[in-house]
Amino acid sequence: MDAAVRRLTAMAAGTAGSYGASYEQMGAVWGITRQGARKKWPDAVVRTPATASAALELFGGPAELTLGPSSRRWTWTARGVDGERGAAGADTGCATREEAAAYVGAFLQGHAAP
């Protein structure tokens, strides 16, 4: 039983870290220190550079995903094949790069060549 609980808590910590939770936040939830959480789940929080970006092309249109340094939200800008431009601002950004990529993919698919 103990091994199953350890495995499940490690999975939960990894998921929380991928959504931006810090070791301090995880420690507070589990009633341990930040250092204790870091020792218990060393790979849960992925450190990202102050700014990060990724360029991609989907359905014939270019797009860029950007991680805001202060908001820690992923935003996107794109131009569809039909010339339509779309963007998600910092106030409506996404929690993960994958979520932003899904939104930009849906936008570009809707503005692809017929």
Side-chain angles (χ1 to χ4, degrees), residues 34-73:
R34 172 185 59 82
Q35 295 89 344
R38 187 175 187 161
K39 184 177 179 182
K40 190 175 208 75
W41 308 295
D43 298 323
V45 175
V46 178
R47 302 230 181 252
T48 56
T51 58
S53 64
L56 53 124
E57 186 169 325
L58 298 168
F59 301 101
E64 184 169 355
L65 308 175
T66 306
L67 177 62
S70 59
S71 69
R72 306 300 295 163
R73 304 287 289 174

Side-chain angles (χ1 to χ4, degrees), residues 26-37:
M26 284 189 256
V29 168
W30 284 94
I32 59 178
T33 65
R34 172 185 59 82
Q35 295 89 344

Side-chain angles (χ1 to χ4, degrees), residues 85-99:
R85 293 185 180 273
D91 57 332
T92 60
C94 303
T96 65
R97 180 176 46 188
E98 292 79 10
E99 182 183 4

